Amino acid sequence: MIEFRNVSKSYDDGTLAVSDLSLIAASHEITVLVGSSGCGKTTLLRMVNRLVTPTSGQVLIDDVDVADRNPVELRRSIGYVMQNSGLLPHRTTVDNIATVPVLQGTPAREARQRAVDLMETVGLDPSMARRYPWQLSGGQQQRVGVARGLAADPNILLMDEPFGAVDPIVRADLQRELLRIQGELGKTILFVTHDIAEAITLGDKIVIVATGGRIAQQGTPEEIMADPADDFVTSFLGLDEARALHVSGRLVVDPTGRPVGRLA
Amino acid sequence: MNWILNNVSTITDATWAHVWLALPAIVLSFVVAIPVAWFASRFRRSRFTLLLVAGLIYAIPSLPLFIVLPLILGTSVRSLVNVVAALGLYGVALMVRYAADALDAVSTDALLAATAMGYGPLRRFFGVQLPLAGPALLAGLRVVAVSTVSLVPVSALLGVNSLGMLLTDGFQRGILAEVASGIGATVVVAVAVDLGLVGLGRLLMPWERAAARRDARRTTVEDEQAVAA
């Protein structure tokens, strides 16, 4: 369980990225932080592995304040998947995946063997093992990123817009894979995105973050869609008047008659 | 030509002496410049001052430096230590700027990813930042190497053996072939050291070789498309 307890983050120039925010991300669930760019969601994510230190408040993992943990040890115990994969360009696929276990002292041979197994888990062909990141497609790079996040078998996985830079078809594919992997592994996942559709697809719980790092609403996708807390949430969900949908034949259309979907 | 054939061993000895002055100086330049550049890159406010000092050192005329340095080091003017130190000083002055730029240019994404995965600061530097700065460091080091090899002959004026001796001796005795062989051999040493560095780079940075092939291929494809269009 990850708990944010009254955390704030302000920068020297006076910008307030997060203000007095409290939040609990339950174990073995996917909690999605969703909001527009610059709303402070990435800052929140980075507080968990101490890439960012809150100005005030605490972040606790299973009731232990992360501020009391050695940052390097802490980071090795938490999986981190970032946008544009953040793979090390001078390491091959297996070596990228094996990074954290090797840092923890696992013999390279053993770590590489496990990396190859993980490639299978994330749906990568073993023939990619010896390739460098630039020799992979965007979707493959993200799969490597996910495998790397899982390599040390962490309880917690932090995912910062991991599928933001790939095309919609690949993204949908990666989302399905993540749900399948999560079904098998049951990690505590904190997932940041600006895409509400992605939040609804993946989230056991969705936290809508408004500018200034304030929680606009949190709940299951059903709760939020059924009962948006305010106009901001309504418009963020695309539920405002301009998007009031109705059925026309087999098509779902918006008020101007443009099709937005089809009945099954 | 006769002079060359009759003095092969003199030329060979001078060449090796040249190499053994240049190589330690090049290594010294690299090893000293890296921590200085790291400091300049890590503590931004020191950057301007450090690079300025490096620039000033490079502006010191070489002959006076060869003569003054022994007073500081406590060596004799003709000592190899003195020559290597002076050459190394110029090398460092040149290399610091290349190295600081190279370290600065490493992708922040890669560094952030490394930190997030639990690299400590030292390990991150040697395991991620330094290798990723490798190609730019190599480019700088090649300039330093060639510059060092061509600076070595100045030490001949102090009486230290190197290919420079063929120049001073050749001038004094009016043997054109000796002067020419000194110049020629210096060029050969410079090219050999440069090729050696490129080879070393290929060995140490296998990912770059693959990327270079990609860039070459991409350029070819783009060129073909441009021609076709």
Side-chain angles (χ1 to χ4, degrees), chain A residues 46 75-76 86 90-91 134, chain B residues 112-113 115 118-119 127 207 214:
Chain A
R46 289 181 179 172
R75 288 171 195 147
R76 287 178 190 171
H90 61 308
R91 302 265 173 83
W134 63 265
Chain B
L112 177 72
T115 309
Y119 272 86
W207 70 94
R214 164 202 56 179

Side-chain angles (χ1 to χ4, degrees), chain B residues 1-4 11 166 170 174-183:
Chain B
M1 273 318 275
N2 262 339
W3 184 91
I4 295 176
I11 298 174
L166 301 183
I175 307 173
L176 193 63
E178 187 174 9
V179 175
S181 62
I183 294 171

Side-chain angles (χ1 to χ4, degrees), chain A residues 48-71:
Chain A
V48 178
N49 63 355
R50 295 192 61 186
L51 288 176
V52 170
T53 310
T55 316
S56 65
Q58 293 170 294
V59 179
L60 303 102
I61 294 176
D62 296 329
D63 299 316
V64 177
D65 190 338
V66 295
D68 296 335
R69 309 242 338 240
N70 173 296

Side-chain angles (χ1 to χ4, degrees), chain A residues 227-246:
Chain A
D227 189 15
D230 55 26
D231 290 350
F232 173 78
V233 176
T234 307
S235 93
F236 199 80
L237 291 171
L239 296 176
D240 41 357
E241 285 299 310
R243 288 262 302 165
L245 308 178
H246 58 275

